[in-house]
Amino acid sequence: MPHDHADHDHTHDHSDLDDMTARVMAMEKLLVDKGLVDPAALDAIVETYEEKIGPRNGAKVVARAWTDPDFAAALKDDATTAIATLGFSGRGGEHMMALFNTPDQHNMVVCTLCSCYPWPVLGLPPVWYKSMPYRSRAISEPRAVLAEFGVTLPEGTKIRVWDSTSELRYLVIPMRPEGTEGWTAEQLETLVTRDSMIGTGLAGARP
Amino acid sequence: MPNNPAIPGLDGDAPHFFAPWQAKAFALTVHLHDQGRFTWTEWVDTFAPRVGGTAPLPDAATTADHAEVYYLAWLDALQAILGDKGLAEAALIGEMAEVWRRAALATPHGTPILYEAGLTG
């Protein structure tokens, strides 16, 4: 249609819905009309995941593991239960596993299938985690991927990549930075970045 | 497709949702799961083949482009699981989406869009 562009300019006198917005609004109305969905609950879910659940939860877990050997042992043994003692628990069903980085082994997490991610401790996954380039390349060339994140590991450090599933989610426990002896858990938390708990960063390395 | 396509969104804190429909699709899914309408494994089984089957994006694609492709797969999966579970038929969703579109066209900019405004289009 030759006048498409001119017509478009005129659409400012009414609202225009893109296809995705119209479909989601249709689904919502249909489900609300059937009594299957409470609109207020939808807003609360978005608010919770955007503002209340985030990587600070995971940072608390890591800082505690660095400062409390009993907690670290419990986390190694049964991460789901240990993390729940701090008040963070999953949507039901999925189990957590803590992966402790050592000088010999660096752990890195991916979900090649889709975007399974430890929501209760890290919040929603970043776009890169959900993107196809990360999902495919994390497995095939983890060292190159780490380099793109600005992480270079000693050659002797082995990289192990863990593929998440809907039943099993991983939390990387990064190595505690040197020179932090005597720091409180609260101080240490500030060094624990989201990426360090996915294994694409190191604690204290990136703000 | 290059062998090592660029990983998007490494620079700083990108938002989780780039449009309200993405947040709404996410919330609908989480809410229906909370209500026991499907298990999370059922959701992943529906979502994974769709997100896995998306065409690779060019290197020039923005973080927002990657988010849109991801949530389009999410929206398709949500529509599919609603059908599979007998919660909402795809045809009806399509019809109601068309009503919403007509309602929007009939509504002056800045005024709340009412579904009823699209019924008489």
Side-chain angles (χ1 to χ4, degrees):
Chain A
M1 219 167 76
H3 297 298
D4 261 3
H5 189 72
D7 283 350
H8 180 77
D9 284 345
H10 292 161
T11 58
H12 292 297
D13 59 1
H14 59 247
S15 308
D16 215 350
L17 292 187
D18 61 69
D19 177 58
M20 291 81 80
T21 301
R23 273 169 72 198
V24 167
M25 287 172 76
M27 288 180 195
E28 182 183 10
K29 175 158 174 60
L30 194 51
L31 294 165
V32 169
D33 286 353
K34 286 187 177 188
L36 295 171
V37 157
D38 169 10
L42 298 180
D43 292 340
I45 287 167
V46 172
E47 193 194 329
T48 299
Y49 278 96
E50 284 206 309
E51 290 164 26
K52 295 188 183 151
I53 303 180
R56 293 342 300 160
N57 290 2
K60 285 189 171 60
V61 175
V62 172
R64 178 77 181 271
W66 284 346
T67 52
D68 178 347
D70 289 341
F71 181 78
L75 194 61
K76 244 177 218 161
D77 181 49
D78 177 357
T80 314
T81 304
I83 290 170
T85 63
L86 299 187
F88 314 132
S89 48
R91 308 198 52 67
E94 81 268 26
H95 290 278
M96 293 286 310
M97 187 172 168
L99 309 169
F100 288 74
N101 283 350
T102 66
D104 296 328
Q105 178 170 307
H106 178 88
N107 298 287
M108 185 172 151
V109 179
V110 66
C111 175
T112 56
L113 201 58
C114 48
S115 53
C116 297
Y117 190 75
W119 291 2
V121 281
L122 294 187
L124 294 176
V127 173
W128 58 259
Y129 185 86
K130 302 180 286 194
S131 74
M132 196 188 281
Y134 180 75
R135 288 190 284 118
S136 54
R137 294 178 53 208
I139 298 280
S140 64
E141 47 172 3
R143 221 170 265 273
V145 168
L146 283 179
E148 274 174 55
F149 280 87
V151 175
T152 314
L153 296 171
E155 275 194 21
T157 304
K158 199 174 65 161
I159 301 175
R160 179 151 182 202
V161 183
W162 300 74
D163 196 357
S164 315
T165 68
S166 59
E167 285 99 18
L168 184 58
R169 316 289 171 97
Y170 302 102
L171 179 71
V172 174
I173 310 298
M175 285 193 291
R176 180 171 171 167
E178 285 176 16
T180 57
E181 295 76 17
W183 287 35
T184 65
E186 287 73 23
Q187 289 171 315
L188 290 166
E189 270 173 39
T190 63
L191 301 177
V192 186
T193 61
R194 178 195 64 200
D195 289 3
S196 74
M197 294 181 279
I198 305 176
T200 54
L202 304 175
R206 268 167 59 142
Chain B
M1 181 188 171
N3 287 330
N4 54 349
I7 298 168
L10 296 187
D11 47 342
D13 277 335
H16 295 295
F17 305 113
F18 283 75
W21 69 266
Q22 297 173 3
K24 188 74 85 170
F26 168 81
L28 278 169
T29 307
V30 168
H31 185 47
L32 289 167
H33 169 258
D34 285 345
Q35 310 282 316
R37 300 293 168 183
F38 46 80
T39 66
W40 203 252
T41 300
E42 286 174 320
W43 165 252
V44 169
D45 288 345
T46 308
F47 177 52
R50 286 170 175 81
V51 76
T54 55
L57 288 171
D59 266 5
T62 63
T63 307
D65 294 334
H66 279 275
E68 177 161 312
V69 164
Y70 177 83
Y71 278 108
L72 265 175
W74 186 295
L75 191 57
D76 286 344
L78 178 57
Q79 186 158 320
I81 206 166
L82 291 178
D84 290 347
K85 293 290 173 183
L87 301 174
E89 292 167 32
L92 189 52
I93 292 169
E95 282 171 33
M96 292 178 72
E98 199 44 51
V99 174
W100 274 121
R101 253 183 242 111
R102 280 202 303 269
L105 288 173
T107 304
H109 192 69
T111 309
I113 303 167
L114 299 176
Y115 182 78
E116 290 67 27
L119 291 173
T120 53

